[in-house]
Amino acid sequence: DTAVSQTPKYLVTQMGNDKSIKCEQNLGHDTMYWYKQDSKKFLKIMFSYNNKELIINETVPNRFSPKSPDKAHLNLHINSLELGDSAVYFCASSPITLGRDGYTFGSGTRLTVV
Amino acid sequence: TQLLEQSPQFLSIQEGENLTVYCNSSSVFSSLQWYRQEPGEGPVLLVTVVTGGEVKKLKRLTFQFGDARKDSSLHITAAQPGDTGLYLCAGARGGATNKLIFGTGTLLAVQP
C-alpha cells in the first residue's frame, strides 16, 4: 500500500497545454508539499498545505495552482505549459510538527514539455 | 537564500572504500536531515540530527551535526554497490511551516 502516491508517473505534453498532477497520502499526515527537481537534481519547494490551508507559496508563476480538497490530497494544476516547466515534480507529506520525522515523498512525476 | 552546499558533487569509488560527504551553510538550522534518492524514486529519509554535535550511526553510515548547527557530514564505511544513489541533506528552520531547504546533492556511484 503506497504511502504517498502521485499520478501520472510520466507526462509528455505540448507547450501551451494545461495539465494536472494528482497526489494522495494515506499516512494521516496534516501537511503536504509540492517540490520541483530540476535537471541538476536540485529540489525546490513550491507549495505547502496544512489541513487544506495554503501555508507556503514560493515564487512560483501564477500558472501553477495547487488545490487541496482534503488533507489527504494535494493536486497541482499547470496552465499554459512552457518548455522551462520540464522537470520532475514531487509530492510529499509530513506530520504537522517535523521533529525527527521527515518528509515521505511520492515517486515523482516526470513532466516533459515539447 | 539559505543555501546548503554539498561536496563533493559527484563521487565514484570502488566497493570497500570509505567516503565522506559534507553539507555546509552559513545559516543555523533547528534540525538537519539526510535523504537518499534512487533513480525514478523520491528521496527517502535516512536520519535526522537535532542537537549541535550530535552523532548518529545507521549501520555503516555515520552522520554528524556541526556544533553550531550550520553543517553536517555523512561518512560511509566500506561502501557497497547498494549505497549508490543521490544523497541530499535538508535543513529545517523550525516554526510553523515545516519547510525543508534541500542541499545541492551528492551523486555517489560505488563500483563492484
Side-chain angles (χ1 to χ4, degrees):
Chain A
D1 209 17
T2 307
V4 178
S5 58
Q6 51 182 112
T7 55
K9 176 83 173 169
Y10 299 97
L11 190 49
V12 181
T13 188
Q14 290 189 324
M15 274 196 320
N17 283 352
D18 303 338
K19 289 292 177 187
S20 291
I21 307 172
K22 295 189 173 185
C23 180
E24 176 182 1
Q25 55 98 1
N26 63 5
L27 298 167
H29 287 161
D30 289 298
T31 310
M32 295 185 74
Y33 313 82
W34 278 110
Y35 273 77
K36 179 180 179 180
Q37 188 170 47
D38 62 23
S39 57
K40 295 185 178 179
K41 305 296 185 187
F42 184 63
L43 267 170
K44 191 173 187 327
I45 192 165
M46 301 172 69
F47 302 102
S48 164
Y49 270 75
N50 251 4
N51 275 316
K52 304 192 297 175
E53 182 186 350
L54 181 66
I55 298 296
I56 296 174
N57 184 350
E58 294 287 299
T59 49
V60 177
N62 289 341
R63 300 181 295 102
F64 290 79
S65 51
K67 200 159 278 187
S68 183
D70 55 62
K71 77 173 196 177
H73 295 84
L74 180 61
N75 304 321
L76 183 65
H77 187 76
I78 316 170
N79 288 327
S80 303
L81 278 154
E82 300 177 357
L83 292 176
D85 297 332
S86 296
V88 183
Y89 292 84
F90 284 99
C91 175
S93 71
S94 78
I96 196 162
T97 302
L98 210 50
R100 286 190 182 269
D101 294 317
Y103 290 3
T104 303
F105 282 88
S107 57
T109 295
R110 181 175 292 277
L111 171 65
T112 304
V113 183
V114 297
Chain B
T1 304
Q2 306 146 10
L3 196 59
L4 273 166
E5 292 275 359
Q6 287 183 234
S7 61
Q9 193 177 356
F10 300 101
L11 193 51
S12 180
I13 60 171
Q14 293 296 122
E15 183 175 359
E17 289 184 33
N18 302 334
L19 67 118
T20 302
V21 177
Y22 298 94
C23 172
N24 294 300
S25 175
S26 57
S27 301
V28 175
F29 292 97
S30 60
S31 66
L32 199 130
Q33 303 185 336
W34 284 91
Y35 291 78
R36 180 168 66 217
Q37 183 179 11
E38 298 187 14
E41 296 297 327
V44 175
L45 179 69
L46 295 173
V47 80
T48 302
V49 284
V50 176
T51 310
E54 182 176 353
V55 177
K56 292 205 86 164
K57 293 196 174 193
L58 194 68
K59 297 182 182 177
R60 295 174 293 99
L61 278 60
T62 302
F63 305 85
Q64 182 159 11
F65 203 9
D67 290 340
R69 305 207 316 274
K70 293 182 180 180
D71 54 82
S72 181
S73 63
L74 156 60
H75 183 80
I76 302 180
T77 305
Q80 297 178 3
D83 296 327
T84 293
L86 177 69
Y87 287 81
L88 295 160
C89 63
R93 292 297 301 273
T97 66
N98 277 348
K99 174 180 169 180
L100 281 180
I101 308 294
F102 278 83
T104 48
T106 295
L107 191 58
L108 171 66
V110 182
Q111 314 295 337

